[in-house]
Amino acid sequence: MFKNYFKVAIRNILRSKVYSLVNVAGLAVGITCTVLILLFVTDELSFDTYHSKADRIYRVIEHIEPVEESSSLPFPVAEALKTDYPNFIEEYVRFFNFQAATLSMEYAPERGTKVQFNEPRIFFADSTLLKVFDFKLKLGNPGEVLKNPLSVLVTETTAKRYFGNDNPIGKRLDFEGQHNLTVTGVLEDIPQNSHFKFDFIVSFSSLHTLMPSGLPTTWYWNPCWTYVLLKENTNAENLASSLPEFVKRRYTPARAEQTALYLQPLTDIHLHSNLDFEIEANGDITLVYVFAVIAFFILLIAAINFINLSTARSLKRAREVGVRKVMGAAPKQLIAQFLSESIIITSIAVVLAIPLIDFLLPVLNQLALKEISFYFFTSGIFWASLLSIIILVGLLGGIYPAFFLSSFQPVKVLSGKIGKLGSGAMLRKALVISQFAISCILIIGTIIAYNQLHHLRNANLGFDREEVILLPIDRSPIAQDFSRFKDRIAQHKSVKSVSVANMVMGTETQSSRYIMEDGDIEISLNTYWIGTDFGKTLGMTFLAGRDFSTVFPSDTARGGGGILVNETFLKFAGWENPEPAIGKKITSTGADGEMVIKGVVKDIHFTSLKQPIAPLVFVLRPAPKRRAVYRSYVYVRVDTKDLHNVLPFVEKQFKEFDPARAFSYSFLDERINRLYLAVDLLGKIAAIFSTMAIFVACLGLFGLSSFTAEQRIKEIGIRKVLGASVPSIVFLLSKQFLSLVLVANVFAWPVAYYVMKYWLSNFQTQINIDALPFIAAAVFTLAIAFATMSFQAIRAAFANPVNSLKYE
């Protein structure tokens, strides 16, 4: 019986080649897109789950009202938590990296060329690292590798880069020209689905040697990413409820009033965390939801095509069903026949989709900046998913014609009286509207996402981010001797202005504590520590006062601190106008002491555009004290047309001041744009898969228009004999489907508007949704639908009426 079903199915597939090709191609493309998206979604959801204790690992985060939500903590917090809550916490591990852009490492073998790199991924970690996390150690003793000061773990790729094929254990790396680190272990490369990656892990005890004052004991500076491993069967909520009391007990009273600690599950960090000082830019759970919905929609469109074409062609086989029933076929046998054909077509589509997935996966990896690897023959989940698709789509595509045709009465069918039995026209119309409505939503969403990304990249941030080069100088001799370095590189004709700061403007912030004039309450404010000409270098607009400049002796004298504030600071302080603010004083509770306001700048977006503008203070420290800790980046405004001459000149000066460090640079606008990689990713991938959705929908439309033209072939012949023109016949065949596409747009517009309005609410600065994306989606879908149908319509219109009017 099943052999007969298979033979009949293959025979029908070969007999209706166009119908079968459209069905198979649409399903194959739909399945390919769906599987690729699901691979992306699965990878996003898998971050940090490879750690065997992931369900017990939490990151402790710090909220400082109203300026900072920090992913990091002060140095003493971890040890204090372990001491205060031994019944909850099994182990802790801290990560620290000086919050520097790069740190210099070099290796000079006895024979051969010295190898030197700037390394942005150097971290210091407690010796408990491998007790908490499951990073795989290839070489070394797990209990000893981070036990001693100046010990360092390297990843396999890093070991290869520095030592080639030599055994790295025991070899020494020079750290910033000051200390030798001994390689004690080699780790497997960190999996891509980790919320942060590293190349070096230096023992935390090394900081006692590397930091001039030893390990900081302050509860204000919070540079340590702190993870705790809870004991088995411990309720994290119980520990979390104890943290407010911990803050009151351990922090100073003034700090405790504004500080709160929270536990963040390890597996939530990548998709649910967007805090200050994240180790790396995280993903976005909204992105996962969007792509999961797109995957569902594309598969749905492909399934709709299948159902549409199956129902449209069902009446072509009415007489076959009549003959089979006269010959004794039972309804259940007919149902089995049609369902088996449907499942066979779906299976063929799945077979074709597998090589397509393998071919397109590298393209997805390139777009999404991932390294998703997939092994078809070892993934039980993959095969289970494909089997589910075959059964689900096969049943959906075959169930309507199976039950519909098996219900025919042989007498009516064989006598040609089947018109009253219906043809599923209403169902097909509803399905066409559904698939094009989905396509319209995807198109509108893609256009709006692209416009928002363009807005983020080109929004007025309150400063000029173009043509600014950033040179990382943290812990470099240049930080100590910056004035001389600035004078040296300013000599080049294409260097317009030079300044220095502790952070990258437009991407991050840091808080410090102050007491306002005539006040006695400590407050936390966002703070940048800068050098002279900072406002000039970034093109800031001054509403009152002036920029810091070497022209004014008070700005360059040791201890002559001053500050600049933004508009929002004035509102926060209760001052209506900028002019009266000049000359007022605020006092830093740290090393800066009493400072005078010397300028008020127009509000700027000093962090991500997702964040609201907050009060901001720019602090000038004209001369370093023991360490120029606030001097992390040199800002150089240049004429980029002469970049090929400027960069070699700057590099030469840089190497003269710091020969031990490899020269590196970045552009300010590129650093800012990195914040919006998730939006960029959404736009690119959504555009591609929206195109695929339209392609699949048009395949179905092509099949339906072919079927319609075939059904009305005699009508077309009569119209041509009576003098109908080709354009009128094309319009006659197209108007029905074009009206359905137009109705689909009407349904899609409000849905797309509310969905995208919700998505845009994540941004403090956002575009206004205008009519253009909706009109563009309507024009595009109508045009592509007409182009799809016109091929068959024109072909039918040009057909010889003599052939179409023949009886048989």
Side-chain angles (χ1 to χ4, degrees), residues 483 486-487 532-533 546-556:
S483 295
K486 174 182 177 180
D487 292 339
T532 55
D533 297 323
R546 61 173 177 82
D547 193 8
F548 299 128
S549 173
T550 54
V551 174
F552 299 93
S554 62
D555 289 353
T556 55

Side-chain angles (χ1 to χ4, degrees), residues 701-713 715-717 719-720 724-738 785-800:
L701 204 57
F702 177 81
L704 284 177
S705 60
S706 300
F707 173 74
T708 302
E710 183 182 345
Q711 290 288 88
R712 302 177 70 176
I713 191 69
E715 176 191 345
I716 294 169
R719 287 180 180 274
K720 288 197 70 176
S725 64
V726 171
S728 67
I729 293 174
V730 171
F731 177 73
L732 174 71
L733 295 175
S734 302
K735 66 178 182 179
Q736 176 186 3
F737 291 111
L738 290 177
F786 180 76
T788 301
M789 292 179 296
S790 62
F791 175 79
Q792 286 297 333
I794 292 171
R795 182 182 173 191
F798 275 107
N800 190 338

Side-chain angles (χ1 to χ4, degrees), residues 220-376:
Y220 285 89
W221 186 33
N222 55 353
C224 289
W225 295 281
T226 302
Y227 299 79
V228 294
L229 174 65
L230 302 189
K231 292 185 176 180
E232 292 186 20
N233 303 316
T234 297
N235 190 331
E237 292 182 2
N238 291 338
L239 175 59
S241 65
S242 303
L243 293 180
E245 181 61 33
F246 173 83
V247 171
K248 289 180 182 179
R249 184 170 60 252
R250 291 287 190 165
Y251 282 73
T252 63
R255 185 74 165 185
E257 288 181 5
Q258 294 179 303
T259 302
L261 299 182
Y262 300 97
L263 296 179
Q264 187 177 49
L266 175 68
T267 52
D268 281 359
I269 294 175
H270 177 65
L271 292 177
H272 299 273
S273 185
N274 187 27
L275 303 174
D276 297 319
F277 310 115
E278 293 283 3
I279 303 179
E280 292 182 10
N282 288 323
D284 188 344
I285 189 62
T286 304
L287 199 66
V288 172
Y289 292 150
V290 168
F291 286 156
V293 169
I294 290 175
F296 172 77
F297 279 167
I298 290 178
L299 187 60
L300 181 61
I301 289 173
I304 285 173
N305 273 355
F306 194 19
I307 297 167
N308 252 343
L309 293 177
S310 297
T311 57
R313 298 213 40 107
S314 60
L315 289 180
K316 295 287 290 182
R317 301 179 63 181
R319 292 193 177 185
E320 175 193 338
V321 172
V323 172
R324 284 179 175 273
K325 294 192 91 173
V326 169
M327 299 297 292
K332 64 180 182 180
Q333 292 175 312
L334 295 172
I335 291 171
Q337 173 66 52
F338 285 104
L339 289 179
S340 63
E341 289 182 21
S342 181
I343 289 174
I344 288 171
I345 291 176
T346 309
S347 301
I348 294 171
V350 166
V351 170
L352 292 177
I354 292 175
L356 279 175
I357 294 167
D358 193 46
F359 176 75
L360 294 174
L361 186 56
V363 179
L364 176 65
N365 281 331
Q366 187 174 3
L367 279 173
L369 304 177
K370 286 185 172 291
E371 295 181 8
I372 301 172
S373 56
F374 192 70
Y375 303 99
F376 295 101

Side-chain angles (χ1 to χ4, degrees), residues 56 227 247 341 449 529 698 704 721 768:
R56 293 194 284 135
Y227 299 79
V247 171
E341 289 182 21
W529 284 275
C698 288
L704 284 177
V721 169
N768 292 318

Side-chain angles (χ1 to χ4, degrees), residues 29-46:
V29 172
I31 292 168
T32 299
C33 294
T34 300
V35 171
L36 288 174
I37 294 175
L38 290 180
L39 286 174
F40 171 85
V41 168
T42 302
D43 183 76
E44 287 288 289
L45 294 173
S46 71

Side-chain angles (χ1 to χ4, degrees), residues 48-58 132 229 265-267:
D48 299 306
T49 57
Y50 63 89
H51 296 290
S52 61
K53 304 167 188 171
D55 60 324
R56 293 194 284 135
I57 301 173
Y58 291 80
V132 177
L229 174 65
L266 175 68
T267 52

